Amino acid sequence: MVTPSLVKQYVYCPTLPWLEVRVGRLEPPTPSMESAILTADEKEEIAREAGIPPPYRVEIPLEYPRLRLRGVIDLVAGPHGRRGYWIMEAKKHPRRPRASKHFQAQLLAYALLATKTLGPVYRATLYIGGTTRTLEINQRHLQTAEKLVKKTLKIVEEEEPPLTRQPPQKCMYCFYRKLCPNANPHL
């Protein structure tokens, strides 16, 4: 099974999900990771501020075996009549704008997971450190998410890690850089 978090890692660097699945999640929580945990009340407050209509359910575990996808969605609102559900993924700390592509991929994977298990998702909001971005979910978004899930699954099932080239600044702070065959070609 893959998670939307592994899809996020795949978009950031295709080697990360392979390392995480094959080597194991070795990265201990840093103080900033621990301080980034949002409570259920904080998630609901963010949803209200973003204009997401209740009812809310927080930290909803879902699994869709057919795609081998599972995850825990930060917040699911609805259903709202025929439109369906509005979901939210929340990150407490701000990020650089260029860093949001992989978080958007994670959000789309959650939208796909919720659509396949709960019903149609019509909107998805990504909250990152005070900034929100809301997408009107369409079929193209769901197709993109499904392709990313399948690519991530393929990567983690391979015996050998994917060969990729990343900008050095991306690898500089990566916890897995000492284990990465792309950073250390002699491994």
Side-chain angles (χ1 to χ4, degrees):
M1 301 283 277
V2 296
T3 64
S5 180
L6 286 174
V7 171
K8 173 189 73 175
Q9 298 285 47
Y10 169 80
V11 171
Y12 188 76
C13 172
T15 307
L16 284 175
W18 188 91
L19 285 166
E20 206 168 293
V21 168
R22 294 300 182 135
V23 176
R25 185 162 182 88
L26 300 175
E27 185 175 12
T30 64
S32 73
M33 286 177 180
E34 289 175 347
S35 73
I37 297 170
L38 290 162
T39 67
D41 289 341
E42 288 173 313
K43 291 174 185 178
E44 288 182 10
E45 180 61 29
I46 291 166
R48 279 190 289 281
E49 289 174 6
I52 300 172
Y56 304 133
R57 290 183 283 163
V58 178
E59 297 174 12
I60 305 300
L62 298 173
E63 185 172 314
Y64 186 61
R66 188 167 171 211
L67 266 179
R68 297 173 47 204
L69 178 64
R70 80 168 116 197
V72 179
I73 299 177
D74 282 343
L75 183 130
V76 175
H80 301 126
R82 289 184 165 173
R83 294 187 298 173
Y85 296 92
W86 187 334
I87 67 165
M88 181 182 77
E89 173 66 13
K91 309 290 183 194
K92 192 171 191 173
H93 295 303
R95 305 287 199 283
R96 293 180 303 268
R98 69 175 178 81
S100 65
K101 182 179 176 186
H102 58 291
F103 290 118
Q104 183 174 315
Q106 181 182 24
L107 180 69
L108 292 179
Y110 278 125
L112 175 65
L113 180 58
T115 295
K116 295 293 187 181
T117 57
L118 298 174
V121 170
Y122 70 98
R123 283 196 184 123
T125 295
L126 178 61
Y127 170 88
I128 301 179
T131 303
T132 58
R133 179 171 186 208
T134 300
L135 300 173
E136 301 291 326
I137 298 299
N138 59 42
Q139 198 57 37
R140 183 179 49 84
H141 289 123
L142 299 175
Q143 289 168 346
T144 297
E146 189 165 340
K147 286 178 188 174
L148 289 171
V149 167
K150 288 177 179 178
K151 286 179 179 180
T152 305
L153 257 172
K154 185 175 189 244
I155 289 286
V156 300
E157 290 174 341
E158 293 290 328
E159 289 297 319
E160 298 295 323
L163 298 178
T164 62
R165 288 197 170 185
Q166 296 293 339
Q169 64 272 23
K170 202 180 231 189
C171 300
M172 188 181 319
Y173 298 105
C174 179
F175 183 82
Y176 293 97
R177 72 184 173 281
K178 291 179 182 173
L179 301 171
C180 182
N182 298 305
N184 300 304
H186 58 278
L187 288 180

